[in-house]
Amino acid sequence: MVHRKPWFDRQWTFDLPVTAAPGIIERLRGTPARVEHRLRGLPAERLTTRHHDHWSIQENVGHLWDLEPLWLARIDDIAVGHLTLQAADLENHKTWDAHHNERSLADLESGFAAARGELVTQLENADEADWLRSAKHPRLDVNMRLLDLAFFVAEHDDHHLATISDLLRLGD
């Protein structure tokens, strides 16, 4: 098994052509279904178990939902011409404080799916000029086009899906 780099240690190269936008949209549109398919039928105890004080499977799903407002705000930052994107809470207080393990998985999945639908709609309504507008990412200190932001979100989704897969293997 190849081990993943921690999210904050990843290096980024944002050089995709604008023609990659439709595929990225489909990747983003599919994340809620991928989550639901991966977790279907698992018992609540398996979904809510923490390992070494890291988030449970269910908390990872909740985290995806928690970040949707940030992604939408960053889309808006680019659209209105802000020079810098809204900063993320690097300590993830929202997720730690949300008590996602006390909610039902179905609630988390449906909330995430609805929020993600809004993000996908925003991206589908963007034209080529919108996809090429940019603003500086505050942590990475690089300019990100809307295209790069969408790719970043898709990579973030996949990072957490891979984390969920790791957690599922721990229970096997």
Side-chain angles (χ1 to χ4, degrees), residues 130-172:
D130 296 330
W131 282 98
L132 297 174
R133 286 188 182 89
S134 68
K136 184 184 275 189
H137 187 284
R139 178 177 62 85
L140 300 176
D141 196 32
V142 297
N143 275 348
M144 291 177 87
R145 302 167 295 171
L146 178 59
L147 178 68
D148 305 322
L149 174 61
F151 174 71
F152 186 81
V153 174
E155 287 292 300
H156 183 265
D157 289 353
D158 288 350
H159 173 81
H160 284 281
L161 285 165
T163 299
I164 288 168
S165 291
D166 290 345
L167 291 169
L168 289 170
R169 277 190 291 280
L170 286 174
D172 291 339

Side-chain angles (χ1 to χ4, degrees), residues 52-66:
H52 308 291
D53 204 38
H54 293 285
W55 291 334
S56 68
I57 291 170
Q58 199 156 294
E59 288 168 318
N60 275 274
V61 174
H63 176 69
L64 292 173
W65 183 14
D66 292 339

Side-chain angles (χ1 to χ4, degrees), residues 39-100:
L39 303 181
R40 186 175 299 134
L42 291 175
E45 181 179 318
R46 185 118 184 250
L47 295 168
T48 58
T49 299
R50 285 185 176 171
H51 297 275
H52 308 291
D53 204 38
H54 293 285
W55 291 334
S56 68
I57 291 170
Q58 199 156 294
E59 288 168 318
N60 275 274
V61 174
H63 176 69
L64 292 173
W65 183 14
D66 292 339
L67 286 188
E68 290 299 296
L70 175 65
W71 307 141
L72 289 170
R74 287 179 170 180
I75 289 171
D76 190 54
D77 289 341
I78 291 171
V80 301
H82 289 168
L83 298 178
T84 303
L85 299 172
Q86 182 176 7
D89 167 18
L90 301 181
E91 299 296 321
N92 291 305
H93 290 103
K94 185 173 184 179
T95 301
W96 283 109
D97 295 342
H99 304 286
H100 291 307

